[in-house]
Amino acid sequence: MKLFRWLKSIKMPIAEEGNRPPDPAEEKVFYPSPEAEAKSKARLAGSPGGSSPPQYLRDKRRYKRYSTEGRNVLARMILSEEVDLANISLGGACILSAKSVTPGDNILIGIADENIDRPLKGKVVWEKESAADTADGRKRHQAGIQFQEVAPYTLIRLKDFMRIAGVPDTKKLSYQYQPSALRFKVYRNRKALMKYPATCPVKKIGLGGMLIETDDMYPVDHKYPMALHLPEEKAPIRFTGRITSHVQGGDERANRYNLGIEFLNLAESDRSRLREFITHL
């Protein structure tokens, strides 16, 4: 299934007729008190790597988690980031972001303009590290986005935006991709919201949640649209994922993080599929 269909259909699943979503009391997940979480962080600070979750989380977890190492179980989460528009045309845009994207990725670009009321589908065609760093010293990345399937009325509004927010830029691109006929250099501080997928390996899984490995650390309690891809199944399991914990990897994987994810809004039919998969672990 194409990414855009998945991006658009990853909204909250609707339970099938006769199969109500489980009552929250039945799906209770332990949330540590601020005092317990502070003690856990103190213990992790004195333990190099912090490779395992706090003991109180393991003791209070309602559902047992099973290892999925070597089973090719993947999770996808839809992330969003505010980016800067460097230049734009009817065919695409150049953006500056703190997050590196991969050529070939399908993304959505929401331009901060009241007349452009829906995000633009795009495909990353090139990416490189930018010479300009952020104020805190972090590297920025520059990427070329090619728009896909832009509706005619959106093109008209995009033309108006280009005339208001930019000036014509006749400089030729030095990349192997075919440049658009005319680009506008954005001279105002124009922002856009980029939505992009991130694929993460699943290390452990249970009926209540999972443990995934990521390149970045995400805040506890934040929620993201997610999908779980089980081996030999075409249709993913969709849900909202709430981050319950984040722990940095060991010394040899210091740039990796283990995230605990709680399943929210999981349809009963998908829960049955997940239960069937777990019985074979």
Side-chain angles (χ1 to χ4, degrees), residues 64-83:
K64 181 179 178 180
R65 289 187 181 178
Y66 300 86
S67 173
T68 56
E69 298 283 357
R71 300 297 298 268
N72 195 32
V73 181
L74 300 175
R76 281 189 175 181
M77 52 196 303
I78 298 299
L79 304 175
S80 60
E81 181 192 345
E82 189 178 64
V83 299

Side-chain angles (χ1 to χ4, degrees), residues 218-229:
Y218 301 98
V220 170
D221 283 334
H222 278 216
K223 300 174 183 178
Y224 298 92
M226 299 187 73
L228 181 65
H229 294 258

Side-chain angles (χ1 to χ4, degrees), residues 27 63-66 205-209 263 266 270-272 274-276 278:
E27 190 67 14
Y63 297 105
K64 181 179 178 180
R65 289 187 181 178
Y66 300 86
I205 197 168
L207 283 177
F263 296 147
L266 185 62
D270 286 335
R271 188 180 300 277
S272 298
L274 180 59
R275 184 182 291 110
E276 176 67 19
I278 290 175

Side-chain angles (χ1 to χ4, degrees), residues 5-229:
R5 294 179 182 174
W6 182 72
L7 281 168
K8 294 169 64 176
S9 62
I10 201 168
K11 298 179 181 178
M12 183 185 301
I14 301 176
E16 294 180 352
E17 184 70 25
N19 290 326
R20 64 173 180 82
D23 188 85
E26 301 171 357
E27 190 67 14
K28 184 177 180 181
V29 177
F30 174 75
Y31 304 124
S33 66
E35 294 80 7
E37 190 168 12
K39 290 180 180 179
S40 170
K41 290 181 179 179
R43 288 196 298 269
L44 287 174
S47 174
S51 58
S52 61
Q55 183 65 40
Y56 65 81
L57 284 178
R58 298 196 299 270
D59 292 343
K60 296 292 184 177
R61 185 173 290 130
R62 179 177 178 85
Y63 297 105
K64 181 179 178 180
R65 289 187 181 178
Y66 300 86
S67 173
T68 56
E69 298 283 357
R71 300 297 298 268
N72 195 32
V73 181
L74 300 175
R76 281 189 175 181
M77 52 196 303
I78 298 299
L79 304 175
S80 60
E81 181 192 345
E82 189 178 64
V83 299
D84 293 316
L85 286 174
N87 59 62
I88 190 169
S89 73
L90 294 180
C94 176
I95 62 171
L96 291 170
S97 68
K99 175 68 178 179
S100 174
V101 291
T102 304
D105 279 355
N106 292 311
I107 64 173
L108 295 176
I109 294 290
I111 297 177
D113 184 87
E114 60 182 9
N115 294 318
I116 303 177
D117 56 357
R118 62 183 57 192
L120 303 172
K121 299 177 182 179
K123 182 177 182 179
V124 181
V125 293
W126 58 264
E127 191 270 352
K128 69 174 183 176
E129 198 169 87
S130 173
D133 296 344
T134 58
D136 58 3
R138 297 180 61 186
K139 290 292 184 182
R140 303 189 78 193
H141 299 269
Q142 190 175 15
I145 310 300
Q146 184 181 62
F147 295 147
Q148 309 280 323
E149 304 172 8
V150 182
Y153 70 90
T154 302
L155 284 175
I156 295 174
R157 296 177 179 181
L158 189 57
K159 287 181 181 179
D160 294 336
F161 170 80
M162 289 161 51
R163 285 194 293 265
I164 294 172
V167 293
D169 183 1
T170 57
K171 182 181 178 180
K172 296 294 184 180
L173 294 175
S174 60
Y175 301 96
Q176 67 268 35
Y177 302 100
Q178 184 69 27
S180 57
L182 179 62
R183 294 178 299 142
F184 280 71
K185 184 177 181 180
V186 179
Y187 61 88
R188 297 184 180 183
N189 185 24
R190 291 288 184 166
K191 301 289 185 179
L193 186 66
M194 176 178 68
K195 292 187 177 182
Y196 60 97
T199 302
C200 314
V202 178
K203 302 177 70 174
K204 294 182 180 180
I205 197 168
L207 283 177
M210 61 184 176
L211 182 71
I212 65 176
E213 186 178 65
T214 68
D215 293 324
D216 298 300
M217 181 173 65
Y218 301 98
V220 170
D221 283 334
H222 278 216
K223 300 174 183 178
Y224 298 92
M226 299 187 73
L228 181 65
H229 294 258

